[in-house]
Amino acid sequence: MRHSDVADQLDEVLVTEEQMLARLDELAREVERDYVGSVPLLIGVLKGAVMVMADFARALHIPVTMDWMAVSSYGNTTQSSGVVRILKDLDTDVAGRDVLIVEDIIDTGLTLAWLRENLMSRGAKSVRILTALRKPDAVVSDIVPDYLGFDIPNKFVVGFGLDYAENYRHLRDVAVLSPHVYADGE
Ligand code: IMP
Ligand code: MG
């Protein structure tokens, strides 16, 4: 889905599909250098990270394995609650593995702070974080991504996997959701 298909529901485009793919390619080169001699386990955080994972993993020229977790901190609103629940756990034993968490966006970082601790407590050898996007509120947590796509302003965005009430995930670009869309629904 493209911006023009839902132009009345969106404000500006912050990151185009082309910009995102080019940046993920650069990050893939960094990851290849950092994981020489290791087969990292990429852990995607469902559902938002599906597009990041698909494009980032395919840009890599080293062996990796992939698994998925679903955690919930948001519900259908646009505010972070700080409450994290596991909705779907890993199939993989992370003990001794070099884990790379693949995320769509860091807002407060509360979700990732919790997830990093959770994976370390299961005996992961290392836990690093790749995120496509980061918002300014991330400075309040101690979460610093090892691999960052783009810093964006503190606006609610959709597309490239990011949703509002499960909509817009298949939008190719990252765009600001027009506030009238969620103002009407609350
Ligand atoms: P955090 O715990 O505050 O960092 O929240 C991270 C999660 O909130 C992300 O994985 C997204 O699922 C969701 N989220 C944060 N900001 C946005 C946004 O602008 N659009 C859509 N989802 C968002
Ligand atoms: Mg998410």
Side-chain angles (χ1 to χ4, degrees):
M1 187 168 74
R2 294 185 185 278
H3 187 279
S4 54
D5 296 319
V6 279
D8 58 325
Q9 295 151 54
L10 304 175
D11 291 343
E12 71 272 25
V13 171
L14 296 184
V15 184
T16 66
E17 179 183 30
E18 290 72 23
Q19 289 169 327
M20 184 61 81
L21 289 175
R23 184 70 188 123
L24 291 179
D25 222 60
E26 293 173 354
L27 294 179
R29 300 295 83 75
E30 287 183 36
V31 167
E32 287 163 4
R33 282 196 297 273
D34 293 349
Y35 287 89
V36 171
S38 171
V39 178
L41 170 62
L42 307 184
I43 296 182
V45 184
L46 293 169
K47 305 168 203 170
V50 166
M51 308 299 179
V52 193
M53 179 72 103
D55 287 330
F56 169 71
R58 287 183 297 176
L60 283 171
H61 297 289
I62 57 168
V64 296
T65 62
M66 267 177 243
D67 205 345
W68 301 90
M69 276 181 85
V71 298
S72 166
S73 66
Y74 253 61
N76 283 350
T77 76
T78 56
Q79 294 286 306
S80 188
S81 67
V83 178
V84 178
R85 270 188 313 143
I86 295 184
L87 304 177
K88 183 224 171 282
D89 207 349
L90 298 168
D91 300 321
T92 310
D93 181 4
V94 303
R97 296 295 301 272
D98 290 311
V99 170
L100 179 56
I101 300 172
V102 176
E103 251 291 28
D104 48 4
I105 191 166
I106 300 178
D107 183 4
T108 63
L110 290 170
T111 310
L112 279 179
W114 179 90
L115 189 57
R116 186 173 62 180
E117 279 314 303
N118 181 276
L119 294 170
M120 289 306 291
S121 74
R122 299 189 204 192
K125 184 175 162 197
S126 67
V127 179
R128 288 188 183 156
I129 294 167
L130 178 148
T131 184
L133 303 166
R134 177 173 66 178
K135 288 185 179 177
D137 282 352
V139 298
V140 304
S141 72
D142 66 344
I143 287 294
V144 179
D146 300 278
Y147 310 97
L148 169 65
F150 297 92
D151 273 311
I152 61 168
N154 200 9
K155 294 181 173 176
F156 195 82
V157 294
V158 294
F160 196 64
L162 289 158
D163 73 308
Y164 172 66
E166 298 301 330
N167 293 305
Y168 310 104
R169 290 193 196 275
H170 61 313
L171 183 68
R172 290 180 181 274
D173 303 327
V174 176
V176 176
L177 184 64
S178 189
H180 77 78
V181 175
Y182 48 89
D184 294 349
E186 278 173 9

